[in-house]
Amino acid sequence: MHCVKDTSVHGPSMFCVRRRNVLMADKRTHDELEQRVKELEQAADERKRAEELEEEKHEKEMILDSLLEHVVYQNLENKVLWANRAACKSVDQTREDLIGRYCYEIWAGRQSACEDCPVVKAIETEAQQTIEKTTPDGRSWYIQGYPVRQVDGTIVGAVELTLDITNHRRAEEEKKLLEAKLQQAQKMEAIGTLARGVAHDFNNLLMGIQGNVSLMKLDADSLRFYERLKSIERQVESGAMLTSQLFGYARNGRYERKPLDLNQLVKDTCETFGRTKKEITIHRELSDDLFAIEADSGRVEQVLLNLFVNAADAMPRGGDLFLRTVNVTHEDMSSRLYEPKRGDYVLLTVTDTGTGMDKETMERVFDPFFTTKDMGRGTGLGLASVYGIIKVHGGYIDVESTKGQGTTFSIYLPRSEKEIQKVVKATEGVIGGTETVLLIEDEAVILEVGRDLLEAMGYRVLVARDGKEGVKVYKKNKDEIDIVVLDIVMPHMGG
Ligand SMILES: Nc1ncnc2c1ncn2[C@@H]1O[C@H](COP(=O)(O)OP(=O)(O)OP(=O)(O)O)[C@@H](O)[C@H]1O
Ligand SMILES: [Mg+2]
């Protein structure tokens, strides 16, 4: 600052003082202004910071609100301090409604914290906690509790993270069930192949023995031999029963399916059965307007007998056997072991008041050769053949049982739209004739025995070892041949 010489009345010094005063006042104003500017700048900064903070908070909320997990921040007493949108939506309330209330009161309707609460545990142990839980409504949850710390490390609350895993669990269960179904189907298929092979070879052996025995019986001149031969025949018959069960399970063999009335079959079979088991009371509740089914009556009879015999075995001191038939649809079939085809079905239930079964036995009852009976009393093929026969008929079978109380087998057979035909039983007795028979069979033993048997019955027999040879023989003797008896499955050319 400089001082200009003043030549006015007050002289030079006066001028300088005033000037200095003016200058000082200017400076004060300037400083004040500067201060004010600073204050304004600071206020603007603070406002900006507050805006930024607000934006940051909004952004964090936005992030947490976009999660599927319920996020709930709680204080040390489980009072809600903040909750995200999913958490609010789960109870259909606003964030403001939830804040300040106890978490257990909102989500569990309780007066105190749940015993297994991961938040309480996280606060206690100062570490993250996880649990899985199924609520009474059948939903599954994955719940995590995280302790929340201040900068100095003090725990001030906890965050609870909850995810609804119901669909995930259901998908997992369905996958497991599908795998089990697949495994069961593969097992049944593999054993089926084995059973088919064994049954076929075994059957041929039996037919050979049976044929020879029949021929020997025709020639037997002593009663003693005749009785022995009859005894062999009886054993062959029980062997044939076995192969028949095996064929049932293996789902091959001949099936003659006709539209028929299941009620009639049930009546006939249970009357025969009832005569042999007087200690069992049979109760029948057969629907009057039962749909027709298309089935092989012999095979269905085999199914019924197997179930009745099993029921009787489970009631050694007698009991009640309930037989019920009713029309149903696929919607009435609730088993989780199969997916029934849409349509109408006839349901037959066979209930006994016997010993019942535990879960392990129940899971294996349809397995071939599974039996809990003593050696010689059960082969374990009964229900395996029942299963196979029902499958061939496009049906389903279920079992329910309570140990010590009894068992129910439910059989579903698809409805047939065709008209019912009466089942006519073949009459027994030896037939014979004088016609010419062409016998075609690839198994040497059966061919030989068959020829001898037919000849013993009076027929003239021509033979061939396979389809091709059969055609050749037939062409050559066309005019003489009256009957052709042939095997269905043969090499080169089948029947
Ligand atoms: N009604 C039932 N009550 C209790 N257990 C049963 C019943 N039906 C079947 N079971 C159980 O299932 C097993 C298998 O039955 P399945 O009919 O296949 O064979 P089995 O009766 O033992 O022998 P098989 O029928 O070949 O003479 C039986 O050994 C028994 O343990
Ligand atoms: Mg049985």
Side-chain angles (χ1 to χ4, degrees), residues 202-377:
F202 198 60
N203 216 33
N204 283 343
L205 280 175
L206 287 175
M207 276 177 75
I209 298 171
Q210 172 67 60
N212 277 311
V213 170
S214 300
L215 284 172
M216 284 168 82
K217 258 171 56 192
L218 290 176
D219 291 341
D221 30 27
S222 110
L223 186 65
R224 207 156 52 91
F225 278 152
Y226 189 79
E227 287 305 322
R228 289 262 152 86
L229 288 169
K230 286 279 277 185
S231 155
I232 295 176
E233 237 176 14
R234 276 196 297 276
Q235 286 164 44
V236 168
E237 258 169 38
S238 41
M241 263 298 287
L242 259 176
T243 51
S244 153
Q245 301 270 49
L246 264 180
F247 272 137
Y249 174 67
R251 290 181 234 166
N252 62 357
R254 231 164 295 139
Y255 280 80
E256 279 173 40
R257 294 173 66 173
K258 291 192 183 114
L260 49 89
D261 176 17
L262 183 61
N263 281 345
Q264 194 55 48
L265 266 182
V266 170
K267 278 182 210 156
D268 292 348
T269 318
C270 87
E271 262 157 34
T272 321
F273 172 77
R275 276 199 290 275
T276 61
K277 299 278 174 191
K278 297 270 183 252
E279 68 280 17
I280 291 170
T281 317
I282 301 176
H283 310 264
R284 290 191 309 218
E285 258 176 61
L286 309 179
S287 163
D288 287 336
D289 55 351
L290 200 68
F291 299 141
I293 55 164
E294 209 165 322
D296 182 320
S297 60
R299 293 298 191 178
V300 176
E301 227 172 273
Q302 190 179 336
V303 165
L304 297 174
L305 274 176
N306 270 311
L307 294 178
F308 298 169
V309 170
N310 279 349
D313 285 349
M315 302 187 285
R317 282 195 218 108
D320 296 288
L321 182 66
F322 298 90
L323 308 174
R324 296 185 183 99
T325 56
V326 64
N327 293 332
V328 294
T329 74
H330 62 277
E331 280 167 6
D332 303 308
M333 297 155 74
S334 58
S335 172
R336 292 186 44 130
L337 279 173
Y338 51 75
E339 208 60 57
K341 265 197 191 165
R342 296 175 69 84
D344 292 334
Y345 290 83
V346 165
L347 163 64
L348 163 72
T349 54
V350 178
T351 303
D352 65 54
T353 53
T355 53
M357 293 174 251
D358 54 26
K359 200 166 159 274
E360 286 72 36
T361 306
M362 221 157 60
E363 275 170 9
R364 299 190 59 194
V365 283
F366 300 116
D367 287 3
F369 303 108
F370 171 78
T371 180
T372 56
K373 294 172 190 167
D374 294 339
M375 259 302 239
R377 279 214 51 225

